[in-house]
Amino acid sequence: MAASAVVNLRDSINPPLRDVDLSNLDFSNCPVRDLISQIGGKWSVLLLETLAKRPYRFGELRRLVPDISQRMLTQTLRDLQRDGYVDREVFPTKPPSVEYRMTALGHSLYEPLALLLNWAEANHEAVKAARARFDQSPD
């Protein structure tokens, strides 16, 4: 199997490396683990990407992400709302309609998240090839 080319989407920019002393971290209160565990969920990323474009009503979101159950959509939106990434607005119609929109905090998260999503799409084949090589190795 031929190796896929690795795509670096920011060749001209060298991001600063984080200088973190892992021996002194309080892993029970780690901000990275706390935030990544929530936004790294299967549905959170899809919903954040969708809501980055514009506000949507619940039913629209359900149609845009057809694999998600109503229960999981409700729970994921609540989690995103709890963390401050999404706002929920109820309109006094009959029946009441609810609209979800990304907050300023959500948009500030989406900027680096979009870089990761673009990287994932550009490098998906390279990762799949690496997995296949690893799975076929005798070790």
Side-chain angles (χ1 to χ4, degrees), residues 106-126:
H107 282 289
S108 73
L109 166 64
Y110 186 71
E111 185 177 332
L113 182 61
L115 294 173
L116 177 61
L117 296 174
N118 289 338
W119 179 90
E121 287 180 1
N123 288 288
H124 188 225
E125 290 302 317

Side-chain angles (χ1 to χ4, degrees), residues 67-138:
D67 291 358
I68 194 169
S69 68
Q70 181 169 334
R71 179 185 161 281
M72 189 53 64
L73 177 58
T74 299
Q75 184 60 52
T76 305
L77 287 168
R78 281 182 193 254
D79 292 342
L80 293 171
Q81 185 181 359
R82 179 177 180 249
D83 286 350
Y85 306 127
V86 170
D87 270 340
R88 177 181 185 263
E89 184 175 357
V90 180
F91 295 96
T93 59
K94 292 199 180 202
S97 60
V98 179
E99 186 176 83
Y100 294 88
R101 71 180 71 247
M102 193 174 283
T103 63
L105 182 62
H107 282 289
S108 73
L109 166 64
Y110 186 71
E111 185 177 332
L113 182 61
L115 294 173
L116 177 61
L117 296 174
N118 289 338
W119 179 90
E121 287 180 1
N123 288 288
H124 188 225
E125 290 302 317
V127 172
K128 286 182 7 182
R131 287 175 183 164
R133 285 191 305 276
F134 181 87
D135 292 346
Q136 293 172 358
S137 70

Side-chain angles (χ1 to χ4, degrees), residues 21-38:
D21 181 3
L22 295 178
S23 65
N24 290 324
L25 281 182
D26 175 8
F27 286 104
S28 65
N29 190 29
C30 177
V32 174
R33 279 185 176 180
D34 182 37
L35 298 183
I36 295 298
S37 68
Q38 192 61 28

